[in-house]
């Protein structure tokens, strides 16, 4: 299994030019939405993904968002960039996620929820950390595509899903069947593509923050909390909230700020469903 994982990662195609253009746009802290629109419009799938997320119940805008410019205006430039870059990465490694019992559309929705959690929660105590985490939050489960691919090839999909249904612990099942968590695999994917250290270290040490380089430790701990809340099979459930609350206490985050943020997000989703 480990050999197949390595082979899959090594054989990934290069990221498209649009990813490089978005990275350049982001690095120079460009705030011209027209330039961002021009980059995104080169990929119709990217446009449709952004509009779908903008119109989802978690954002609750009062009317239908039918143009890219309006979506960027409402979501914000940095949020849109994170969503666009995340979608490109996921589309590059995409395969069927049936071993996890979810669809690819479910995956995008929950990834967007993870970014929403960062935007709502982390912004209340550290805006710089929030900006650092928007993209990692959206991307941290990307390794699940590679895992799904390998499980399918090895005819282990049904066994994996059966184990998931029994234990309800995604990370444990990944480690039992594959040898690594999706966080570790995601970090290796991004290392293969020579993406930023912020992505590689922040994601790669989720669940193992004691071994994380000190500069990224807070990033990793916050992402672990976000991952618990945006559980791919059980997002914002009582169970996921309990786990995230325990992690917040463990890592020294203000539990009340976290719980208030969760309630705000749940209220928005309820009101707009």
């Amino acid at each position: 299994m480990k050999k197949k994982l390595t082979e899959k990662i090594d054989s990934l195609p290069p990221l498209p030019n649009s990813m490089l253009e978005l990275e350049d746009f982001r690095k120079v802290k460009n705030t011209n939405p027209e330039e961002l629109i021009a980059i995104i419009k080169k990929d119709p799938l990217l446009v449709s993904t952004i509009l779908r997320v903008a119109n989802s119940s978690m954002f609750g805008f009062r009317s239908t968002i039918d143009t890219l410019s309006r979506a960027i205006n409402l979501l914000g430039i940095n949020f849109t960039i994170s969503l666009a870059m995340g979608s490109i990465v996921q589309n590059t490694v995409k395969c069927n996620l049936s071993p996890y019992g979810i669809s690819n559309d479910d995956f995008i929705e929950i990834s967007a929820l993870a970014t929403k959690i960062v935007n709502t929660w982390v912004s209340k105590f550290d805006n710089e950390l929030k900006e650092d985490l928007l993209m990692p939050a959206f991307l941290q489960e990307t390794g699940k595509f590679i895992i799904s691919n390998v499980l399918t090839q090895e005819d282990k999909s049904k066994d994996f899903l059966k184990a998931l249904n029994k234990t309800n612990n995604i990370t444990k099942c990944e480690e039992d069947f594959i040898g690594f968590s999706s966080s570790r695999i995601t970090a290796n994917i991004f290392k293969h593509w020579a993406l930023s250290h912020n992505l590689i270290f922040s994601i790669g040490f989720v669940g193992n923050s004691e071994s994380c380089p000190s500069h990224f430790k807070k990033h990793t701990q916050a992402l672990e909390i976000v991952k618990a809340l945006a559980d791919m099979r059980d997002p914002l459930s009582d169970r996921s909230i309990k786990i995230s609350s325990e992690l917040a206490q463990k890592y020294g985050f203000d539990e009340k700020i976290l719980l208030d943020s969760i309630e705000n997000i749940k209220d928005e989703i309820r009101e707009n469903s």
Side-chain angles (χ1 to χ4, degrees):
M1 285 279 196
K2 291 182 180 179
K3 183 181 178 183
K4 285 194 175 293
L5 283 170
T6 302
E7 290 172 352
K8 286 291 176 188
I9 293 171
D10 289 343
S11 65
L12 285 170
L15 290 169
N17 288 335
S18 53
M19 183 73 172
L20 303 177
E21 291 180 65
L22 284 167
E23 179 68 2
D24 288 341
F25 183 94
R26 186 182 66 83
K27 279 181 177 176
V28 298
K29 300 187 185 302
N30 197 329
T31 57
N32 184 347
E34 293 304 318
E35 288 187 31
L36 180 57
I37 289 169
I39 295 170
I40 293 173
K41 275 190 171 179
K42 295 176 183 178
D43 185 344
L45 183 59
L46 209 52
V47 175
S48 65
T49 298
I50 290 169
L51 290 178
R52 186 171 80 245
V53 170
N55 283 292
S56 69
S57 61
M58 77 182 76
F59 293 102
F61 298 127
R62 294 182 183 276
S63 58
T64 301
I65 314 304
D66 53 8
T67 66
L68 191 55
S69 59
R70 188 149 185 260
I72 293 171
N73 182 54
L74 292 169
L75 293 173
I77 285 179
N78 287 344
F79 196 107
T80 304
I81 292 171
S82 297
L83 183 58
M85 294 179 79
S87 299
I88 290 169
V89 169
Q90 290 173 358
N91 287 331
T92 304
V93 299
K94 185 180 284 188
C95 75
N96 191 299
L97 288 167
S98 58
Y100 287 91
I102 61 172
S103 70
N104 288 10
D105 283 348
D106 292 335
F107 186 90
I108 289 288
E109 288 286 329
I110 298 169
S111 297
L113 171 62
T115 308
K116 171 78 170 178
I117 293 167
V118 167
N119 211 39
T120 304
W121 168 47
V122 183
S123 63
K124 291 181 179 177
F125 61 88
D126 191 332
N127 199 58
E128 185 177 344
L129 180 63
K130 180 206 79 173
E131 294 297 331
D132 283 349
L133 291 181
L134 284 174
M135 201 184 316
F138 191 89
L139 289 173
Q140 68 172 325
E141 301 284 25
T142 302
K144 284 180 167 48
F145 289 107
I146 298 290
I147 292 174
S148 292
N149 193 294
V150 172
L151 288 170
T152 300
Q153 285 191 348
E154 295 293 306
D155 199 25
K156 296 287 186 181
S157 296
K158 290 182 180 178
D159 292 339
F160 183 80
L161 183 56
K162 184 178 179 181
L164 270 184
N165 290 333
K166 183 177 181 180
T167 66
N168 207 23
N169 188 326
I170 297 176
T171 298
K172 184 179 186 305
C173 288
E174 289 170 344
E175 291 173 342
D176 286 348
F177 277 76
I178 300 293
F180 299 105
S181 68
S182 62
S183 297
R184 286 283 302 278
I185 294 167
T186 302
N188 277 286
I189 291 170
F190 297 158
K191 187 177 179 181
H192 169 77
W193 278 326
L195 296 180
S196 73
H197 284 170
N198 180 47
L199 283 172
I200 295 168
F201 288 117
S202 297
I203 294 172
F205 286 93
V206 166
N208 187 28
S209 62
E210 63 275 8
S211 302
C212 182
S214 58
H215 179 72
F216 296 102
K217 186 164 289 191
K218 194 172 184 181
H219 297 63
T220 290
Q221 291 170 343
L223 281 180
E224 187 175 350
I225 292 169
V226 171
K227 182 171 183 169
L229 281 171
D231 183 291
M232 283 289 153
R233 289 166 52 84
D234 206 18
L236 295 181
S237 65
D238 290 344
R239 174 181 168 275
S240 67
I241 292 170
K242 181 176 184 293
I243 293 170
S244 68
S245 180
E246 291 170 353
L247 288 170
Q249 293 177 48
K250 176 181 176 181
Y251 295 137
F253 290 98
D254 189 313
E255 187 183 5
K256 185 178 185 304
I257 292 176
L258 175 66
L259 294 176
D260 286 347
S261 299
I262 294 168
E263 282 307 306
N264 289 341
I265 292 170
K266 289 176 73 174
D267 286 344
E268 284 185 40
I269 293 173
R270 275 194 294 265
E271 288 172 10
N272 299 298
S273 292

